[in-house]
Amino acid sequence: MKGSPSPRVPAEERGGCPRLSRWALLIPVLIFKACITCGCLVILHKQSLKAHKLPETFPEWRCALGTPGSKEGVWTCCPMGWKPFQATCYFLSSDSMSWDESEKNCMGMGSHLVVINTQAEQDFLLNWTKDIFSSRQSYFIGLSAQEVEAQWRWVDQTPYNKTAAFWIPGEPRIPKREKCTALQVHSRTQARQNWNDIPCSTSLNRICEAAAAFI
């Protein structure tokens, strides 16, 4: 009847089942703590990471807690199929292309040809590539010579540091014709000095790198 007071709704009904809400919040917390305790790796999908502004070119990511170089309690994430080292993710191709095509391919994945800044990074790449192939293999890296002879430049504009370069003894020899750089790996040797200048049109495998994501 119009004007008659509406029946009072019990507090539990007005609140929308508060017990269920508490469990809905508690269960994910318990799962997350269990994952940390076990030290497990988790696979996160693009939808769950979108809020952290990660690139959207990869549908899945692999994350680890306590990756060297990351802050305590922070998860370091790389796309599936990429390998983490410190705060960077690396991709090793199984197909071969010219240097220009290799850089375009890396850029299409939101990365660039690898820029090697330290001896630790050089050693990491050497050990990783040696473990994959049983014979000699070459990979393009992001170093090329400009128009002026011997003016080497990294793809991300990092200044070229001659003292932090890892050329094969006697290289580079002909920067005017061999303007691109390859990292040469042989499974039977441990030589750290393994950069070689070659023609950019050569078809080689490649190493791409991108900054890791942190959550």
Side-chain angles (χ1 to χ4, degrees):
M1 180 182 299
K2 184 177 180 179
S4 61
S6 57
R8 296 186 61 186
V9 179
E12 290 186 357
E13 293 183 16
R14 293 198 305 269
C17 194
R19 291 184 180 179
L20 180 59
S21 299
R22 286 195 295 271
W23 277 109
L25 292 173
L26 182 59
I27 291 174
V29 173
L30 293 175
I31 294 175
F32 183 73
K33 288 185 177 180
C35 188
I36 293 177
T37 302
C38 297
C40 64
L41 297 178
V42 296
I43 297 175
L44 300 178
H45 291 270
K46 176 173 62 178
Q47 289 81 1
S48 61
L49 294 177
K50 190 172 183 180
H52 300 282
K53 298 182 180 179
L54 299 181
E56 297 185 358
T57 50
F58 303 98
E60 293 183 341
W61 293 71
R62 190 176 183 88
C63 300
L65 183 64
T67 301
S70 65
K71 297 180 179 180
E72 184 178 356
V74 175
W75 292 81
T76 303
C77 302
C78 288
M80 292 293 290
W82 292 57
K83 190 174 182 69
F85 176 69
Q86 296 181 346
T88 307
C89 305
Y90 299 86
F91 174 79
L92 205 62
S93 78
S94 58
D95 60 336
S96 58
M97 300 178 177
S98 68
W99 191 90
D100 288 335
E101 291 173 330
S102 295
E103 173 61 3
K104 289 178 181 178
N105 181 271
C106 291
M107 290 177 63
M109 296 189 291
S111 62
H112 55 71
L113 283 171
V114 64
V115 174
I116 302 173
N117 299 305
T118 65
Q119 179 178 309
E121 187 176 22
Q122 169 74 3
D123 290 344
F124 159 75
L125 294 172
L126 176 61
N127 293 329
W128 180 31
T129 52
K130 281 171 60 66
D131 289 341
I132 294 178
F133 295 99
S134 59
S135 60
R136 188 168 180 169
Q137 195 76 13
S138 296
Y139 304 88
F140 275 128
I141 63 176
L143 183 65
S144 63
Q146 304 305 300
E147 295 300 324
V148 180
E149 184 176 346
Q151 294 297 311
W152 295 94
R153 183 178 299 173
W154 290 105
V155 291
D156 68 347
Q157 305 305 312
T158 295
Y160 172 68
N161 183 0
K162 188 176 181 179
T163 61
F166 301 94
W167 296 103
I168 295 172
E171 303 292 347
R173 294 183 301 172
I174 319 174
K176 286 187 176 181
R177 294 204 309 265
E178 300 178 347
K179 295 184 177 183
C180 292
T181 308
L183 186 149
Q184 294 187 340
V185 181
H186 198 291
S187 61
R188 297 180 182 179
T189 64
Q190 287 284 353
R192 177 180 292 150
Q193 310 296 123
N194 63 352
W195 295 2
N196 187 27
D197 58 326
I198 60 174
C200 298
S201 59
T202 307
S203 186
L204 296 180
N205 295 78
R206 62 197 171 278
I207 305 175
C208 304
E209 82 170 319
F214 299 95
I215 59 173

